[in-house]
Amino acid sequence: MHAILTSLFLLVAPQEPAHVPPTPPLNIRCGLGADFHAGRRAALGEKLGNEGVLVLRGMHETRDYTRFHQDKTFWYLTGVESPDAAFAMDFETGRQVLFLPPHDERYEVWNGERWDAGDRWVTPLTGVDEIRSVDDMEAVLDEMIDDGDRVWISYHPWVTLSGGYDRAQPADNAQARDPFDGRPNREKQLKTKLEERYGAAVKNCAREIIELRLVKTEEELDALRRASVAGALAMNEAVRSTRSGLGEWELDSLMAWVQRRNGAAGSAYHPIVGSGANSLTLHYQANDRRMQDGDILLIDYGPEIDHYVTDITRTWPVNGNFTDRQAELYDAVLAAQLAGIEAAKPGATIGSVTGAANGVLVERGFSSLIRHGVCHWVGMEVHDPGDYATVLSPGMVFTIEPGLYEPATDIGIRIEDVVVITEDGCEVITSDAPKSREDMERLVAEEGILDVLDGEDPAAER
Ligand code: GLY
Ligand code: MN
Ligand code: MN
């Protein structure tokens, strides 16, 4: 009996504590690959003269019941998609330390796997040799930072899923200015703490990171293309399902489902589903109106996949037939957009692309109906950061999205695609969503998923 017990024990005796599997769980990856993220760190080091210590802090666990999503800057430089991580790198010696929380069995029982300092698979997965507990971070930084040493941090406001610096920064500023709050943002607080604790000369390296982000690598372009295909499929399904009486929110949720089905982590930004007069509100968010026969419908929506996003707008008539005025404005916007795409090539600028597109609208007498710019950078954020005076070169990614907005007729028209600058022009990566007037009319007439669900005849009056 004793012998049997012993051999049974030997059969099941773990070689390591149960929480230290040698390979990562199947769904865990290091972002776009360890080489991509190591390459970004090396490129940043080069821009910073390979001097000083870089300190990065990932996001804490969420404070609501939403899925954890890493801050974009932290993810770009590490690929770590797990809460409560931090990272330090001495550019002079090359020492890199990834800090992870200590193992917490109870946390994982409730929330599932969290990367922890005991997970042996983290080093082969990330290529970072030194994995330490976050509890050791103060001591390790004591070793790495001497009094007066240069310490690099990014002041770029933290941004996760559906976020953008252009929403985050004003919100952070309002909080800091609020006489009944006054908390500085997380990045300013990190600066203060590092200065106080280590006597460090803290410097902002957001500009250098933004410069790197402006030119996408092949891995990034692949993720942007995947997001764009998923977004285009979702847009096409929204067009097919359009009919009067349907709620704007129904198309918003249909698109969310199609995008998720095609690999999206979630939305790159809140869906804009504006029918009738709602098409005039540039970042309309309520999506709570039922569409009417005769309305124009403007949808601006895109997913995020692997931290990269897309941004697509299409506009079409709810009943599938453009009125004369809708068609006149639509044709002008489409001609303007095609002129913008034609102008997007190495050597051009966002300014010259904008000029080419808006020139068409002005020429057709619609200058008073223009409400917004034509282009913005796209990448990990829908309005990605970057200098708008930059001369375009291969690998730069941005939108071309002219629009016309006529309150007198409740017609808002915008057509938006994402382009990548190539050696001799640009590639429209959202082209799986058609946009000719004929294609829009044809698609509305096709049977959509909501037609099937509701038992609607697509050939009937829309
Ligand atoms: N999706 C928001 C924009 O086009 O800027
Ligand atoms: Mn846009
Ligand atoms: Mn958009």
Side-chain angles (χ1 to χ4, degrees), residues 269 272 283 300-301 311-313 376 382-383 399 401 414 416:
Y269 52 93
I272 299 165
H283 280 172
D300 181 341
Y301 192 29
D311 188 6
I312 310 177
T313 307
H376 57 79
V382 61
H383 301 150
T399 63
E401 51 173 313
R414 179 160 71 249
E416 174 174 33

Side-chain angles (χ1 to χ4, degrees), residues 157-173:
W158 64 269
V159 168
T160 71
L161 186 65
S162 308
Y165 74 94
D166 54 334
R167 289 286 280 212
Q169 193 75 73
D172 286 356
N173 292 346

Side-chain angles (χ1 to χ4, degrees), residues 213-214 216 224 228 308-311 376-385 388 395-401 416-419 429:
R213 285 174 57 175
L214 200 52
K216 272 66 176 178
L224 285 159
S228 296
Y308 288 82
V309 310
T310 197
D311 188 6
H376 57 79
W377 305 117
V378 172
M380 293 193 292
E381 299 171 49
V382 61
H383 301 150
D384 224 34
Y388 280 103
M396 293 183 181
V397 179
F398 58 94
T399 63
I400 303 183
E401 51 173 313
E416 174 174 33
D417 282 298
V418 175
V419 302
I429 60 175

Side-chain angles (χ1 to χ4, degrees), residues 103-237:
H103 181 72
D104 181 343
E105 192 67 40
R106 193 175 151 75
Y107 174 95
E108 292 198 348
V109 165
W110 283 95
N111 302 297
E113 176 66 37
R114 175 176 64 174
W115 300 34
D116 67 60
D119 288 327
R120 280 198 298 135
W121 43 263
V122 174
T123 284
L125 188 71
T126 59
V128 178
D129 290 332
E130 199 175 342
I131 312 295
R132 302 284 292 265
S133 166
V134 280
D135 295 340
D136 298 339
M137 185 164 172
E138 282 194 281
V140 172
L141 291 187
D142 263 330
E143 290 165 19
M144 289 174 106
I145 306 170
D146 290 324
D147 217 31
D149 270 1
R150 176 166 301 170
V151 173
W152 299 106
I153 69 170
S154 167
Y155 292 4
H156 192 71
W158 64 269
V159 168
T160 71
L161 186 65
S162 308
Y165 74 94
D166 54 334
R167 289 286 280 212
Q169 193 75 73
D172 286 356
N173 292 346
Q175 173 184 290
R177 275 197 317 268
D178 180 347
F180 296 100
D181 187 326
R183 284 171 298 159
N185 75 1
R186 188 171 194 267
E187 294 70 36
K188 293 229 172 70
Q189 194 65 358
L190 177 60
K191 173 183 184 333
T192 305
K193 293 289 172 189
L194 290 169
E195 283 170 349
E196 281 171 8
R197 174 80 169 77
Y198 303 99
V202 176
K203 294 260 186 275
N204 181 14
C205 61
R207 184 170 56 83
E208 287 79 2
I209 297 173
I210 287 167
E211 282 168 8
L212 287 178
R213 285 174 57 175
L214 200 52
V215 182
K216 272 66 176 178
T217 67
E218 278 309 319
E219 293 94 329
E220 292 174 288
L221 291 176
D222 178 64
L224 285 159
R225 287 191 187 101
R226 284 183 282 127
S228 296
V229 169
L233 289 174
M235 186 64 79
N236 296 344
E237 287 304 335

Side-chain angles (χ1 to χ4, degrees), residues 259-418:
Q259 291 178 172
R260 287 280 279 140
R261 200 161 181 264
N262 287 282
S267 314
Y269 52 93
H270 189 81
I272 299 165
V273 183
S275 60
N278 295 335
S279 64
L280 302 167
T281 304
L282 303 178
H283 280 172
Y284 170 67
Q285 295 202 329
N287 299 349
D288 60 359
R289 176 177 178 272
R290 285 194 187 278
M291 304 167 220
Q292 305 298 314
D293 191 10
D295 284 348
I296 198 78
L297 175 64
L298 182 158
I299 296 193
D300 181 341
Y301 192 29
E304 171 175 319
I305 294 186
D306 286 344
H307 278 270
Y308 288 82
V309 310
T310 197
D311 188 6
I312 310 177
T313 307
R314 293 289 183 267
T315 310
W316 61 95
V318 166
N319 65 15
N321 297 299
F322 284 88
T323 63
D324 287 349
R325 186 59 174 170
Q326 288 169 352
E328 190 182 10
L329 296 179
Y330 191 91
D331 290 350
V333 173
L334 185 55
Q337 208 236 6
L338 295 175
I341 291 171
E342 187 66 31
K345 51 172 79 96
T349 60
I350 291 291
S352 63
V353 174
T354 299
N358 277 347
V360 173
L361 301 178
V362 171
E363 202 175 285
R364 295 193 186 197
F366 295 131
S367 55
S368 65
L369 305 184
I370 298 171
R371 294 273 179 282
H372 56 74
V374 172
C375 305
H376 57 79
W377 305 117
V378 172
M380 293 193 292
E381 299 171 49
V382 61
H383 301 150
D384 224 34
D387 180 355
Y388 280 103
T390 308
V391 175
L392 298 176
S393 63
M396 293 183 181
V397 179
F398 58 94
T399 63
I400 303 183
E401 51 173 313
L404 290 176
Y405 305 88
E406 186 173 60
T409 55
D410 288 345
I411 299 173
I413 311 259
R414 179 160 71 249
I415 302 172
E416 174 174 33
D417 282 298
V418 175

